[in-house]
Amino acid sequence: QLQLPGSVQGLFVDGSTLYLAEQPAWDSQQQVMGGGLRALDVSDPTHPREVGYAPGRDDALDVLVADGIAYVAATHGIRVLDIADWQRPTELAHYDTSGPEGRLGAIILDMQLVDHRLYLAFDHGSIFVLDVSRPHALTLVGHSAPGFGPEGGWVEFHGLTVADGHVFIASNPGG
């Protein structure tokens, strides 16, 4: 067991490295503790050891890692970090999802990376597809409008997976 200052919201395993998306916590003096992306060596699962940390500017909600690049879903968008050298993790880009395209600051609840496309499912029932072939310059290549349920309220997307060119969504209400 490893004690962290914040709370883990998402995780991703790559070999013997466990990546944690951490939401910050506050101490009794309202000082922020933790938050961001952590990397743990779990080659000995009974003794996990922190090998890297990249602080965040807002709540980290989920993480995916591919080819030394971490995609961190945060409260206000996607952070792209070069984590090839954990002594100097470098932010390559930030894609803001809180603006007009972000539909009122919706929260990313799930994401999947397929063939240089990052699929994002938002709590308000929309999807973004970002081209991440150039990690320093993410490009929106598609999106859906927020969904409304039969009674007129938001449809919340809770998860997604991409297979054979199709996006499958777990939503509420109605599945």
Side-chain angles (χ1 to χ4, degrees):
Q1 186 174 14
L2 184 68
Q3 295 287 55
L4 300 173
S7 63
V8 175
Q9 300 296 307
L11 25 102
F12 184 85
V13 176
D14 184 18
S16 61
T17 305
L18 175 64
Y19 297 93
L20 307 174
E22 182 187 26
Q23 185 176 26
W26 289 264
D27 66 13
S28 59
Q29 280 77 43
Q30 296 301 308
Q31 299 296 313
V32 175
M33 302 180 312
L37 178 64
R38 293 186 186 274
L40 306 178
D41 178 347
V42 293
S43 55
D44 178 358
T46 61
H47 296 96
R49 181 176 57 87
E50 186 171 300
V51 294
Y53 175 64
R57 29 179 146 146
D58 51 14
D59 294 347
L61 305 170
D62 203 0
V63 59
L64 292 174
V65 176
D67 302 321
I69 304 293
Y71 302 91
V72 181
T75 307
H76 300 290
I78 293 289
R79 291 180 65 209
V80 182
L81 303 170
D82 181 341
I83 56 170
D85 178 3
W86 268 110
Q87 301 307 311
R88 289 183 281 295
T90 305
E91 183 168 312
L92 299 174
H94 177 264
Y95 189 90
D96 186 1
T97 59
S98 63
E101 293 173 343
R103 310 282 191 248
L104 308 175
I107 296 172
I108 299 166
L109 293 182
D110 199 8
M111 60 183 179
Q112 186 172 3
L113 183 63
V114 177
D115 298 328
H116 297 291
R117 296 282 195 259
L118 185 61
Y119 295 80
L120 309 173
F122 290 88
D123 65 340
H124 68 241
S126 72
I127 297 171
F128 276 21
V129 182
L130 300 174
D131 180 340
V132 296
S133 58
R134 296 180 13 211
H136 61 282
L138 305 184
T139 305
L140 181 68
V141 294
H143 73 280
S144 68
F148 294 95
E151 278 83 52
W154 291 110
V155 171
E156 296 180 359
F157 288 174
H158 294 281
L160 70 90
T161 193
V162 179
D164 298 325
H166 301 282
V167 178
F168 299 91
I169 300 165
S171 66
N172 182 25

